[in-house]
Amino acid sequence: MNETEKKLWKKVNRYAWLLKFIPFLRMAAVCNNLAFGKVNIGSDIDLFIVADKGRLFTVRTFITFLFHFFGVRRHGNKIAERFCLSFFIDDSALNLKNIAIDKDIYLAFWIKSILPLIDDGVSREFVLANDWACEYFERSEDFRIDESRVAYEKSFIGRFFEILLDGVFGNFIENQLCKWQQKRACAKMEI
């Protein structure tokens, strides 16, 4: 492990505890270059997030707010050593086959390489949903996710927000957050 990689993992360990406060978060995992062990001085820290079905935009809003508040979210020209929050799915869409290109060994390797920080067990569901990727590995037992970094359980505050944002009220909030985030995304595309 080179010095840059050590520095990035130190930052992950310093801020990953924030994720335990996020309601409806099923998994947060390091992915891409840091998970591959291929970083350089300008590298960011990519996170792959799995939310409860129907709460994707709630999870995205909470994580974005917290990481922005602490000044560690990647945005604008602030990239190096910051958290990139661009990979979000909910647990109804665990199978990534529909985004795979023909013979997509890269996606198979990406799936195998994610390193969960918070995981309620959905990483196993994720592997099962993507069993198509096993064909790219010599032995099926080689296709498993390293769960050795899972260290944080959901906090009381995270559970409290899940109770508060459940049901009709939570659905309303999710719908409003969805509209707001989609509107922002469309505005960015026009620039």
Side-chain angles (χ1 to χ4, degrees):
M1 187 180 294
N2 67 36
E3 289 305 312
T4 301
E5 192 174 354
K6 287 178 187 173
K7 191 174 185 180
L8 292 176
W9 277 113
K10 187 176 179 182
K11 192 154 202 173
V12 167
N13 293 330
R14 188 177 321 131
Y15 291 100
W17 65 273
L18 292 171
L19 297 166
K20 70 182 185 177
F21 297 104
I22 307 298
F24 309 109
L25 175 68
R26 298 215 48 208
M27 182 176 70
V30 171
C31 62
N32 286 359
N33 290 343
L34 185 55
F36 301 155
K38 301 291 182 193
V39 296
N40 58 46
I41 291 174
S43 292
D44 60 7
I45 303 163
D46 293 293
L47 293 182
F48 173 56
I49 307 295
V50 179
D52 276 338
K53 180 181 179 182
R55 293 296 182 260
L56 182 76
F57 293 97
T58 301
V59 168
R60 189 169 189 264
T61 300
F62 270 86
I63 291 176
T64 302
F65 172 78
L66 272 178
F67 279 70
H68 192 79
F69 179 80
F70 282 93
V72 294
R73 180 179 72 91
R74 175 189 164 148
H75 63 96
N77 293 328
K78 298 176 181 181
I79 297 168
E81 299 179 26
R82 289 180 175 245
F83 290 90
C84 179
L85 309 173
S86 57
F87 301 96
F88 287 83
I89 64 171
D90 74 29
D91 57 12
S92 70
L94 295 176
N95 187 344
L96 301 182
K97 178 94 171 147
N98 61 339
I99 65 166
I101 58 175
D102 187 39
K103 297 181 179 159
D104 200 342
I105 191 168
Y106 176 79
L107 183 58
F109 183 74
W110 184 89
I111 291 167
K112 178 193 178 304
S113 299
I114 66 169
L115 298 168
L117 303 170
I118 289 186
D119 181 11
D120 69 359
V122 77
S123 67
R124 288 182 189 93
E125 295 173 40
F126 181 67
V127 167
L128 290 172
N130 290 286
D131 64 350
W132 58 269
C134 287
E135 70 185 66
Y136 295 101
F137 299 93
E138 195 170 312
R139 298 181 317 258
S140 62
E141 59 268 13
D142 290 339
F143 185 69
R144 60 182 173 76
I145 293 175
D146 178 0
E147 298 175 359
S148 63
R149 294 187 183 271
V150 176
Y152 299 98
E153 294 180 13
K154 195 166 288 189
S155 74
F156 168 77
I157 294 170
R159 287 188 176 97
F160 171 76
F161 276 113
E162 285 179 356
I163 293 167
L164 184 69
L165 296 173
D166 198 17
V168 176
F169 177 67
N171 293 342
F172 173 76
I173 296 296
E174 176 72 12
N175 188 40
Q176 295 304 307
L177 292 172
C178 175
K179 288 178 184 176
W180 173 63
Q181 290 179 33
Q182 287 177 339
K183 184 177 178 182
R184 288 192 59 199
C186 288
K188 285 182 180 182
M189 289 174 52
E190 292 174 3
I191 293 176

